[in-house]
Every structure is written in C-alpha cells, then in structure tokens.
C-alpha cells in the first residue's frame, strides 16, 4: 500500500518541526509548502539527510507549487504570521485571514479529500474561515489548540504534584485565547479529579488557580521568552497527535476546535470541544455537561470567538 501523503502548508518554525516529527514517526511522505522559495526545499533536504542516522523511510519534498500537494491525505496549515511580544493572537486576524483564503483555495483545488488541521492564529476564527474558503466538509477541517493547551496544563500539574505527566489527564475547552476554559473537574491524576486532590491536601485552591492562569497565559509566556516568535515544538507535537489519530483511525478523544452544531448548546460554530478523531475525521463531539460556573466561562469564550468571526466577515465580504 502506498504511504500516506502529508502536506504542510507553511514551512516556518512549526512547519519544519511537523515535517521532522512526521518523518521520525514514519506517518507518511511529507510535502513542505511555503510561499518563500528556498525555505521548504532547504528544510525538506535537511530533514531527508537526517533519515540515514534516524533510520526512517519517508520522502521529503519542498515546494512553492500547490500542485505538489495533490492527493494529500492530511494537510496541516501553519501559513501566516506568528505573534511577537506585546501582540495578542487577535492582532494577527487581518493578515492571516488573507492567507487562509489562498490556502483554502489551494487545498480545495489540489487536496479536497484531505483531513485539514489548522494551527494559524487566531485559531478558532482562522479554522472557521479556512473551512469557508475551502468548502471541505466540516468534519474534515479542524483546529489544533485544545491538545496543546491541555498538554501545557498537564505539564504544570505534573510539576505541582511531582508525578509523571503520563498519569495526568486534563481538559481545556473554549476558544484558544485569554478566555480558554481549563476544566479542573474533568482533569485528573491517576483518575482522581483535581478538586479531590485539593481536598486531600495535595495542593491548595490558590495554587490550582495559579496553574489555571499560567495555562491560559502559556502561549504568551513562551512568546515573552523567545521574543522573535511563538511556541513551535509543543504545537507541532499536538498537531501530529491529531494527524496520527486520523491516519491510524485511533478514535482518540482529544479537545479540538471543531464545528459544533447542536452539542453544548451551540449552533454552527467552531470552538474548542472534546472530540473523537478517527478515519472519518471528527467522528463525534462529546456533549459534556458543564456546571453553572463552567458554563459561564465557556459562554464568555464562545462570545469572544463569535466576535472574531464577525470581524472576519467585516474584512472579507465573501464570508458574510
Ligand atoms: P513562522 O515560523 O513565521 O512560519 C509561518 C510560515 O508561513 C512562514 O514560513 C511564511 O513564509 C509562511 N507563509 C506566509 N504566508 C503564506 C501563504 N500565503 N502561503 C503559504 N505559506 C505562507 O510561524 P510559526 O510556524 O511559528 O507559526 C505559524 C502560525 O501558527 C502562526 O499564526 C502562529 O500564531 C500559530 N500558532 C498557533 C498555535 C496554536 O496553539 C493554535 C501555537 C503556536 C503558533
């Protein structure tokens, strides 16, 4: 059987890391695409030259021609600009919306059967716009944010409890922005929910609240340290987890920015929710019950996403 084809639209910091991870995991042959000539070709060759030492079999191609993504099984979109210190994700909206238009059209023309994972910020609005511009089925276009935000939460919790990250599960829902909703009640250490761990004296509510806030600020913390761009190792790893779930029909339960129409009281919008990813793409939205406080936080986050979508419609009349 032919190897799957993975197209990376955008070959910057995340795109290059995605290519390396996809090769090391032998998920398929990789096409790196970018508008800047030389970067995708250079990264593809560099990664291919790591193959003999690492021992992977995966073809690497770099290109500036959309025709080379033809027939891709998975497209991961990082095209656009990242933020710099002092910028919010929302500041990227105008410039990245134009990028989503060209990317959406390129995917629609050359890889209409692909499972598309968007990473470009502001995430929830960009994945919505990318779906609109591409016209692909909603269940095949999804945004990566919840896996990353949950991974950050899990990392901070494992430090606090001094336990393996493997035994920490965590859930972060809502939009990928300052209003994201880390759900402590659904987050556990070895199956024990966080509020119970507070009761057991493993941590205090104040410390837990600080970890929740650090999770919300997780992207900004890295931007502040790097100064020249935003996080790329963990974002790439998170998207690869989603791509692998699709390619291997793993039926993983992962929080993603998915199109929700009916569940969680939402009517036709993209926002971070628990999903099941398998060969059908987003196969299920998990309609969890939220407490009054959680619902209030989620509603606030949903409103923030709706505001960004309206802003997109104001910029590009074809979306209205
Ligand atoms: P960067 O290293 O700048 O790479 C972006 C690449 O996109 C560059 O190589 C550009 O040449 C290329 N590009 C620009 N316009 C186009 C176009 N029209 N078609 C194809 N390629 C184009 O950025 P990065 O890789 O660090 O980040 C990429 C995006 O991911 C940014 O928007 C970040 O804000 C976003 N991001 C999202 C998360 C989430 O959790 C959602 C996390 C980290 C970064």
């Amino acid at each position: 059987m032919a190897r799957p084809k993975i197209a990376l639209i955008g070959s910057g910091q995340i795109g290059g890391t995605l290519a390396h991870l996809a090769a090391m995991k032998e998920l398929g042959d990789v096409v790196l695409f970018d508008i800047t000539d030389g970067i995708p070709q250079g990264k593809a060759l560099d990664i291919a030259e790591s193959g003999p030492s690492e021992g992977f079999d995966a073809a690497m191609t770099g290109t500036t021609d959309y025709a080379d993504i033809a027939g891709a099984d998975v497209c991961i979109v990082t095209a656009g600009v990242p933020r710099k210190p002092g910028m919010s994700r929302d500041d990227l909206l105008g410039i990245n919306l134009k990028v989503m238009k060209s990317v959406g059209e390129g995917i629609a023309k050359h890889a209409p059967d692909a499972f598309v994972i968007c990473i470009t910020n502001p995430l929830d609005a960009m994945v919505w716009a990318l779906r609109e511009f591409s016209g692909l089925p909603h269940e095949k276009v999804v945004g990566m944010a919840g896996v990353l935000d949950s991974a950050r939460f899990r990392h901070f919790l494992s430090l606090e409890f001094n336990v393996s990250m493997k035994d920490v599960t965590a859930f972060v829902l809502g939009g990928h922005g300052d209003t994201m909703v880390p759900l402590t009640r659904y987050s556990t250490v070895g199956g024990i929910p966080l509020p119970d761990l507070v009761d057991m004296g493993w941590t205090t509510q104040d410390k837990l609240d600080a970890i929740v806030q650090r999770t919300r600020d997780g992207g900004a913390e890295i931007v502040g340290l790097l100064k020249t761009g935003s996080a790329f190792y963990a974002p790439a790893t998170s998207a690869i987890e989603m791509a692998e779930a699709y390619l291997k029909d793993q039926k993983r339960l992962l929080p993603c920015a998915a199109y929700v129409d009916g569940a969680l009281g939402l009517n036709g919008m993209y926002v971070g929710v628990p999903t099941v990813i398998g060969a059908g793409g987003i196969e299920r939205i998990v309609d969890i019950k939220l407490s009054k406080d959680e619902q209030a936080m989620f509603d606030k986050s949903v409103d923030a996403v709706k505001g960004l979508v309206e802003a997109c419609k104001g910029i590009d009349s074809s979306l209205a």
Side-chain angles (χ1 to χ4, degrees):
M1 225 207 282
R3 293 181 205 144
K5 180 167 174 177
I6 300 163
L8 308 175
I9 316 298
S11 303
Q13 296 282 57
I14 303 179
T17 312
L18 285 167
H20 200 196
L21 286 171
M24 303 246 290
K25 287 174 154 277
E26 291 193 327
L27 290 185
D29 292 338
V30 175
V31 177
L32 281 144
F33 173 92
D34 206 286
I35 46 166
T36 310
D37 194 34
I39 297 284
Q41 296 91 336
K43 290 196 178 185
L45 181 58
D46 191 15
I47 293 168
E49 289 169 357
S50 76
S53 299
E54 188 57 41
F56 58 72
D57 287 309
M60 294 283 136
T61 311
T63 185
T64 53
D65 183 355
Y66 266 112
D68 291 326
I69 76 162
D73 299 287
V74 170
C75 293
I76 307 181
V77 177
T78 60
V81 292
R83 55 187 172 144
K84 301 230 160 55
M87 288 174 91
S88 84
R89 296 177 178 95
D90 303 355
D91 293 335
L92 306 172
L93 189 122
I95 182 158
N96 283 350
L97 184 63
K98 286 199 197 87
V99 174
M100 290 306 100
K101 190 174 173 72
S102 64
V103 173
E105 288 166 359
I107 291 175
K109 185 163 179 207
H110 299 284
D113 297 324
F115 181 56
V116 179
I117 302 170
C118 180
I119 305 184
T120 302
N121 272 320
L123 191 269
D124 305 83
M126 291 303 102
V127 66
W128 170 80
L130 183 63
R131 208 305 309 173
E132 293 292 312
F133 289 132
S134 69
L136 266 61
H138 286 105
E139 68 275 13
K140 299 291 281 294
V141 182
V142 63
M144 185 295 293
V147 176
L148 171 65
D149 297 328
S150 303
R152 286 178 172 151
F153 196 23
R154 287 171 65 190
H155 170 61
F156 301 146
L157 289 169
S158 78
L159 291 179
E160 170 63 11
F161 296 126
N162 195 23
V163 297
S164 166
M165 288 185 238
K166 287 184 206 149
D167 297 321
V168 181
T169 64
F171 239 102
V172 179
L173 301 185
H176 180 61
D178 301 337
T179 58
M180 71 177 78
V181 188
L183 285 181
T184 54
R185 205 162 55 92
Y186 285 116
S187 302
T188 72
V189 175
I192 307 166
L194 296 184
D196 291 10
L197 290 163
V198 173
D199 290 344
M200 288 157 60
W202 275 43
T203 188
T204 62
Q205 189 59 48
D206 281 354
K207 282 188 180 169
L208 190 53
D209 290 346
I211 290 171
V212 163
Q213 193 53 44
R214 188 174 179 197
T215 302
R216 287 203 179 102
D217 298 337
E221 185 175 359
I222 302 221
V223 170
L225 290 166
L226 294 179
K227 295 182 184 68
T228 51
S230 54
F232 52 99
Y233 292 115
T237 310
S238 304
I240 288 291
E241 196 175 346
M242 293 165 64
E244 192 169 13
Y246 171 76
L247 288 167
K248 297 185 180 171
D249 193 22
Q250 289 173 330
K251 318 279 188 206
R252 294 286 313 277
L253 203 159
L254 298 170
C256 304
Y259 184 73
V260 193
D261 195 14
L264 288 112
L266 299 175
N267 297 318
M269 68 174 290
Y270 272 90
V271 71
V273 290
T275 68
V276 174
I277 299 183
I282 297 294
E283 297 186 346
R284 190 190 296 175
I285 306 282
V286 186
D287 196 359
I288 52 167
K289 295 281 162 277
L290 299 175
S291 69
K292 214 172 147 207
D293 287 352
E294 290 161 354
Q295 188 68 51
M297 284 192 286
F298 187 68
D299 289 348
K300 195 173 159 203
S301 193
V302 163
D303 284 346
V305 173
K306 282 182 179 165
L308 289 175
V309 166
E310 286 310 311
C312 290
K313 290 178 182 171
I315 294 170
D316 188 321
S317 56
S318 72
L319 292 169

